[in-house]
Amino acid sequence: MSGSLRRKAAIVGIGATEFSANSGRSERRLAVEAVLAALDDAGLRADDVNGIVNSDYDDTNQLDVINALGLRNIRAYATIPHGGGSPCGTVAQAAMMVASGVCSCVVAYRSLNERSGHRYGSSDAVPTFPWVYGLHAPYGLIVPGEWTAVHARRRMIEFGETREQWAAVPVTFRAHANRNPQAMQYRKPLTREEYLNAPMLAEPLCRYDYCLETDGAVAYVVTSAERARALKSVPAYIHAAVQGTAFPVWYQTNWYRENFTTGTEVVATAGHLWKESGLTPRDIDVAQIYDHFAPLVLTSLEDFGFCAKGEAGAFIGDGRIGLGGELPLNTAGGLLSEGYIHGWNLILEGVRQIRGTSTAQVEDVEFSLVTSCWGAPTSAVIFSR
Amino acid sequence: MTQPMPQFPRPLPQIDRDHAEWWAGLRRQELLVQECLRCRKQLFPPEPLCPHCHSPEMGWRRSSGIGKVYSWVIVRRPSHPWFADKVPYAVVVVEMQEGFRVVGSIDCPIEKLRDGLPVEAGFEDVDERVTLLRFRVAV
Ligand SMILES: [Zn+2]
């Protein structure tokens, strides 16, 4: 484990605003509310913070957070690129900032009014598209749901997969959300029949295959393993946190590479993850798999090595991914049913599973996996208790 | 021309220096694929140099225009206003005989789309600058 980050740092605080369709306040305000909640959860103060990390898609500048909270001791800051690929990469960054000794307390945040403000599924005002997007946008292949439908159709062609098989993902995640009062879909059950009878949006995808659109913010606090033991919260040790990518890679629009149904960047990330952690997929007790679209959960499971390519349709059946199953997934409801904080809320649930405080708590969790977006330069983290 | 101008124009590509020749090919009704003049590897989308051998000497090969449907989407709820009166519409990914893939529209009833459907490239001029791919079912 030379050069490894293994268990050198821990997440000691998590915070979130409510997840809603209309927050009624600015993204800046949401960001600082989440940061303060995370610090409070850790028993730390704003003056303790000396590192700050966010995602390139965040419209809340780090200066906004520094100014709103009156932070005076910042000595390292980083912004991690590639949108939904970035969340677990921010954990890797924060762990490196702490393990290097440069920082003793790093906060990371993600804030967005994605429902009441700029909606990622809308393209109304865009007149021209740069290079690779220009190759498909003029034909009406413009937003992520339309791109993903092409991928999902190819899964059907290559693997004989069906919507009956995909149904396990949205229906199971919804059942988990129905236990989580924080989830946007807390009081809205979803049956398999509702899923199968839903009208197509970008065929073969229906609305239940799409993640939610959410206003809200989340934040977390990282400190060193030594300091973590002195704090009031149960530390979620960062056992491994990695980023990875590989040629050829674009954002979910990679119709051109040799293998359509494998994410070279995800396979690369998984390789780093298992090597750095010294673990295998069998060691994972619970996982939060980035679920921007239901069929991509299947592709992610394959690319992370939980089953062979083409076998995820069968793998997710028989209750395996539900509470009480062999590999419970997205136990707070995921991006499909808890809320879409661009993958960052999955990190918080990964931590809660280590703490034993999830509303869909898995028994005796030793290793909790979180992954970021399939189809972009991506990242993953394993927390250990 | 009695049609009113649509409120939102069709989304169009930005044509930059590294890819101008590919778009110029479409205007001449030629579907091009980039080829490395050193290692002869085929490349699509084009890159400023060869990612396999790093040669800057890149050329273009003209595709037969013959291919097969590899995947597709049928958009039933439009995401962009220009497409609002065009739903449902299909967009196809076609694997060309030469082995590379491209995205295009297709003249084919959506219920007839299937994996491996033989198609040939057609070309549709959309303005004075841009020509797009519009596939036909091969007979
Ligand atoms: Zn070459």
Side-chain angles (χ1 to χ4, degrees):
Chain A
M1 56 185 282
S2 61
S4 167
L5 288 173
R6 195 182 301 174
R7 289 177 71 86
K8 288 184 176 156
I11 290 187
V12 292
I14 53 177
T17 66
E18 79 286 5
F19 300 156
S20 75
N22 188 350
S23 68
R25 46 211 200 279
S26 72
E27 292 179 338
R28 284 179 218 172
R29 170 67 186 259
L30 296 172
V32 293
E33 285 180 22
V35 168
L36 281 180
L39 287 168
D40 190 52
D41 181 54
L44 292 166
R45 294 171 305 121
D47 279 348
D48 294 314
V49 176
N50 53 14
I52 188 162
V53 180
N54 69 342
S55 157
D56 64 338
Y57 272 48
D58 211 299
D59 291 328
T60 301
N61 194 299
Q62 295 183 359
L63 302 187
D64 296 326
V65 173
I66 290 166
N67 288 337
L69 296 179
L71 303 183
R72 291 181 163 84
N73 302 320
I74 300 298
R75 58 168 304 190
Y77 28 84
T79 298
I80 303 299
H82 308 308
S86 72
C88 296
T90 66
V91 179
Q93 177 67 33
M96 287 189 277
M97 286 159 73
V98 165
S100 66
V102 172
C103 294
S104 57
C105 176
V106 177
V107 293
Y109 67 89
R110 181 75 176 97
S111 175
L112 69 179
N113 280 330
E114 206 275 336
R115 181 63 184 82
S116 68
H118 172 219
R119 302 170 72 178
Y120 295 170
S122 155
S123 62
D124 283 9
V126 183
T128 65
F129 289 77
W131 175 229
V132 285
Y133 298 96
L135 290 176
H136 52 258
Y139 305 103
L141 205 49
I142 303 176
V143 293
E146 293 158 358
W147 308 337
T148 302
V150 178
H151 176 96
R153 170 67 66 188
R154 189 64 200 172
R155 286 196 63 91
M156 289 175 148
I157 293 166
E158 284 185 23
F159 311 135
E161 225 163 60
T162 62
R163 294 189 66 242
E164 282 75 6
Q165 290 177 304
W166 295 348
V169 172
V171 171
T172 305
F173 294 3
R174 182 63 63 90
H176 294 162
N178 294 154
R179 304 168 63 104
N180 172 13
Q182 168 87 348
M184 291 179 82
Q185 306 292 48
Y186 175 48
R187 292 185 193 283
K188 295 176 196 151
L190 174 67
T191 66
R192 188 179 160 77
E193 288 62 41
E194 281 172 281
Y195 173 80
L196 292 174
N197 294 327
M200 295 285 108
L201 301 181
E203 192 175 330
L205 303 182
C206 71
R207 63 181 292 194
Y208 301 116
D209 291 308
Y210 285 56
C211 60
L212 299 169
E213 298 176 289
T214 306
D215 286 13
V218 303
Y220 64 84
V221 180
V222 172
T223 189
S224 67
E226 299 74 44
R227 190 166 189 205
R229 285 188 271 276
L231 295 172
K232 65 172 184 177
S233 60
V234 175
Y237 293 99
I238 298 163
H239 194 83
V242 300
Q243 295 176 296
T245 193
F247 161 84
V249 55
W250 295 283
Y251 290 172
Q252 281 170 251
T253 57
N254 215 332
W255 341 115
Y256 311 108
R257 59 184 165 197
E258 192 173 347
N259 193 333
F260 206 87
T261 49
T262 298
T264 45
E265 66 289 323
V266 182
V267 171
T269 301
H272 304 318
L273 182 77
W274 301 125
K275 184 165 178 282
E276 288 291 317
S277 66
L279 302 174
T280 72
R282 286 170 181 277
D283 296 312
I284 299 301
D285 301 303
V286 57
Q288 317 299 321
I289 303 291
Y290 195 97
D291 53 335
H292 42 347
F293 296 97
L296 289 177
V297 172
L298 283 75
T299 312
S300 286
L301 287 169
E302 293 164 353
D303 288 351
F304 274 95
F306 286 95
C307 59
K309 185 51 66 182
E311 290 180 4
F315 180 85
I316 61 171
D318 299 327
R320 183 182 264 119
I321 62 173
L323 201 54
E326 193 182 305
L327 183 68
L329 299 184
N330 299 36
T331 43
L335 312 184
L336 292 175
S337 280
E338 185 193 31
Y340 176 83
I341 311 297
H342 217 169
W344 284 59
N345 45 322
L346 302 178
I347 296 171
L348 271 59
E349 177 65 5
V351 169
R352 286 190 289 260
Q353 285 289 350
I354 291 292
R355 292 179 170 190
T357 57
S358 170
T359 50
Q361 184 60 46
V362 174
E363 279 175 41
D364 203 24
V365 172
E366 191 175 3
F367 297 111
S368 166
L369 168 69
V370 183
T371 71
S372 293
C373 182
W374 188 95
T378 195
S379 53
V381 59
I382 295 171
F383 296 112
S384 57
R385 71 174 175 218
Chain B
M1 292 292 281
T2 55
Q3 290 282 76
M5 279 295 286
Q7 194 186 350
F8 292 93
R10 182 173 193 158
L12 290 174
Q14 292 164 19
I15 299 177
D16 75 27
R17 199 175 281 195
D18 290 329
H19 318 114
E21 182 54 28
W22 190 79
W23 289 105
L26 290 189
R27 174 107 308 190
R28 300 191 301 269
Q29 309 220 334
E30 295 176 1
L31 173 54
L32 302 178
V33 59
Q34 201 181 22
E35 188 183 58
C36 174
L37 299 179
R38 186 197 285 166
C39 76
R40 293 289 160 187
K41 286 223 165 72
Q42 221 175 246
L43 196 64
F44 190 83
E47 294 291 347
L49 51 70
C50 175
H52 303 287
C53 75
H54 297 172
S55 168
E57 304 297 319
M58 302 295 281
W60 300 90
R61 178 181 287 270
R62 185 177 172 177
S63 161
S64 62
I66 295 168
K68 290 179 173 174
V69 169
Y70 190 82
S71 193
W72 68 94
V73 54
I74 299 164
V75 177
R76 295 187 180 275
R77 187 187 67 176
S79 62
H80 186 288
W82 191 82
F83 290 94
D85 58 358
K86 292 160 187 78
V87 289
Y89 66 86
V91 186
V92 290
V93 176
V94 173
E95 188 159 272
M96 306 308 298
Q97 211 169 47
E98 294 81 9
F100 70 105
R101 295 189 208 112
V102 290
V103 173
S105 51
I106 187 166
D107 281 319
C108 175
I110 54 180
E111 64 279 4
K112 297 258 169 75
L113 286 169
R114 61 176 173 83
D115 176 44
L117 182 71
V119 294
E120 54 189 26
F123 303 87
E124 180 187 7
D125 294 340
V126 297
D127 66 11
E128 67 289 342
R129 198 179 54 105
V130 175
T131 300
L132 296 176
L133 281 168
R134 186 167 186 89
F135 286 93
R136 298 182 291 266
V137 178
V139 286

